[in-house]
Amino acid sequence: RAYSLVDSSQVSTFLISILLIVYGSFRSLNMDFENQDKEKDNSSTTGSFNGNSTNNSIQTIDSTQALFLPIGASVSLLVMFFFFDSVQVVFTICTAVLATIAFAFLLLPMCQYLTRPCSPQNKISFGCCGRFTAAELLSFSLSVMLVLIWVLTGHWLLMDALAMGLCVAMIAFVRLPSLKVSCLLLSGLLIYDVFWVFFSAYIFNSNVMVKVATQPADNPLDVLSRKLHLGPNVGRDVPRLSLPGKLVFPSSTGSHFSMLGIGDIVMPGLLLCFVLRYDNYKKQANSDSCGAPGPGNISGRMQKVSYFHCTLIGYFVGLLTATVASRIHRAAQPALLYLVPFTLLPLLTMAYLKGDLRRMWSEPFHSKSSSSRFLEV
């Protein structure tokens, strides 16, 4: 959640969260382009542009999932609150595995760039494990190395790197199909965030959200050494681990850390990814119609403003507002309380003024368009 952010930690939080959202959104858009190219190669028939990719690794959230996701998140939060000591090792291992895969995905473009001059893009077979390129193997090896160093040291910078990988992977592989689903999901998560930050203490005598987010877990190496009775000096000097479910940055004085949950990046990031795909879809549709102008009551300058830029500015203002609120109240704030209105309301207003609200509200990507790949940002 958004805590007291000061000096360099505040700037770091703003910049990193915005960069993660922008990078994850463009990775998602590039995956759409790659999938379209594969479909064209595998079939001679060309269908309509569909923002919901047919790639099996991509998960599209429907209305039912959007409604029940806050409930599932609440159940998971309660399990972690009441049974943390029992499930912490399993949860730590699962988180480490997911973070390894996500960080490998984050490193993949860099590894592809490094291996392109010196190795072919042919895939290497590993039997039942599958076939992988040299870039994929390199990115996975680097990711495993980073996770092992994080387990041994527990350093906050390595934890941040893993959290960044989780943010980018979730934004790239999870899709919102329409504005209706976006509103349902973000509104439900806003209620979820407000309840567990502001009102959970009245029921459970403790701030459930803050306790779960800040509670460190036992290091699996320490647990393993105790289970196997390896001796008092084997695995006992490793630190407890703060799990990569958040970004933390030290203040300029080093006296405390500022904190932002990855849910406060990923959930608005899914909305940003949706509007970026819609901007690209609308640009393709306009090019097909030879640049037909928008509604007559909207100025040309308004038509040139993209939904992506509008929503991204709203995210920045919402995060800034959450920071100011945490400074004033000197307590944890539900960041989605500020991020959701500052992203959704400008988007809905602009969509209404441009005449796109009805189309964006329900399955906006089912229309024939060109395969143009150029995007102005």
Side-chain angles (χ1 to χ4, degrees):
R1 319 269 62 102
Y3 290 96
S4 180
L5 308 175
V6 293
D7 301 331
S8 60
S9 61
Q10 177 180 349
V11 176
S12 300
T13 302
F14 288 174
L15 292 180
I16 294 298
S17 60
I18 290 175
L19 287 175
L20 290 174
I21 288 175
V22 172
Y23 181 66
S25 299
F26 277 89
R27 286 291 296 272
S28 176
L29 191 64
N30 287 334
M31 289 169 62
D32 279 345
F33 289 144
E34 292 172 0
N35 292 328
Q36 289 178 52
D37 290 341
K38 290 179 182 178
E39 289 176 359
K40 289 179 181 178
D41 293 338
N42 296 334
S43 174
S44 59
T45 60
T46 57
S48 62
F49 176 81
N50 188 349
N52 303 328
S53 172
T54 56
N55 192 326
N56 291 330
S57 62
I58 293 175
Q59 175 65 43
T60 301
I61 299 178
D62 57 27
S63 299
T64 303
Q65 292 170 331
L67 287 173
F68 281 95
L69 194 146
I71 299 175
S74 298
V75 173
S76 301
L77 199 65
L78 285 176
V79 170
M80 293 297 296
F81 179 72
F82 286 112
F83 308 106
F84 184 80
D85 292 338
S86 302
V87 302
Q88 60 177 322
V89 176
V90 176
F91 188 73
T92 303
I93 294 174
C94 292
T95 303
V97 172
L98 291 175
T100 302
I101 299 171
F103 194 72
F105 175 77
L106 180 65
L107 292 177
L108 184 58
M110 181 191 70
C111 294
Q112 288 174 335
Y113 177 79
L114 294 175
T115 59
R116 187 178 294 118
C118 57
S119 67
Q121 295 301 312
N122 297 330
K123 292 188 175 183
I124 304 171
S125 177
F126 283 83
C128 61
C129 295
R131 296 167 58 86
F132 306 94
T133 64
E136 291 171 342
L137 294 175
L138 177 60
S139 65
F140 184 74
S141 300
L142 293 175
S143 181
V144 170
M145 187 182 305
L146 183 136
V147 170
L148 290 177
I149 298 174
W150 168 67
V151 171
L152 292 173
T153 64
H155 198 278
W156 66 268
L157 194 57
L158 301 179
M159 185 196 71
D160 277 1
L162 297 178
M164 292 176 195
L166 288 171
C167 288
V168 171
M170 292 176 69
I171 293 173
F173 285 99
V174 180
R175 305 289 171 82
L176 295 175
S178 65
L179 192 54
K180 179 179 72 173
V181 176
S182 303
C183 291
L184 287 175
L185 177 65
L186 292 176
S187 299
L189 290 173
L190 185 153
I191 297 172
Y192 155 86
D193 212 13
V194 169
F195 173 79
W196 289 110
V197 173
F198 284 155
F199 301 105
S200 60
Y202 297 104
I203 301 175
F204 303 99
N205 296 321
S206 178
N207 191 316
V208 175
M209 182 74 77
V210 173
K211 183 175 181 180
V212 171
T214 58
Q215 188 168 4
D218 288 339
N219 196 302
L221 296 180
D222 184 23
V223 176
L224 184 63
S225 67
R226 285 190 274 108
K227 292 292 184 181
L228 299 180
H229 305 287
L230 297 180
N233 297 323
V234 180
R236 299 300 177 87
D237 56 346
V238 292
R240 301 191 75 189
L241 297 176
S242 183
L243 301 181
K246 54 191 174 294
L247 294 179
V248 297
F249 296 96
S251 64
S252 56
T253 61
S255 58
H256 66 276
F257 284 81
S258 63
M259 205 176 298
L260 184 70
I262 64 172
D264 301 325
I265 301 173
V266 171
M267 295 307 164
L270 295 180
L271 179 65
L272 268 293
C273 180
F274 165 74
V275 296
L276 178 65
R277 289 160 52 224
Y278 184 80
D279 282 334
N280 183 68
Y281 154 80
K282 188 177 180 182
K283 190 173 184 179
Q284 293 178 1
N286 288 341
S287 65
D288 281 352
S289 59
C290 301
N297 61 333
I298 301 299
S299 66
R301 183 173 298 178
M302 172 67 77
Q303 288 294 334
K304 291 180 181 179
V305 177
S306 71
Y307 293 111
F308 182 77
H309 289 127
C310 173
T311 313
L312 187 62
I313 293 172
Y315 176 81
F316 177 82
V317 175
L319 190 58
L320 181 62
T321 306
T323 302
V324 172
S326 67
R327 291 281 304 277
I328 294 175
H329 298 286
R330 299 184 179 275
Q333 294 291 306
L336 291 180
L337 175 62
Y338 308 94
L339 295 175
V340 172
F342 276 101
T343 53
L344 272 183
L345 293 181
L347 174 59
L348 291 170
T349 302
M350 179 172 284
Y352 175 77
L353 293 176
K354 285 188 175 185
D356 293 331
L357 183 57
R358 180 173 297 180
R359 175 173 294 231
M360 294 179 69
W361 187 255
S362 180
E363 303 295 338
F365 299 112
H366 294 297
S367 178
K368 185 176 180 180
S369 67
S370 68
S371 58
S372 171
R373 298 172 123 218
F374 297 99
L375 187 68
E376 279 186 89
V377 177

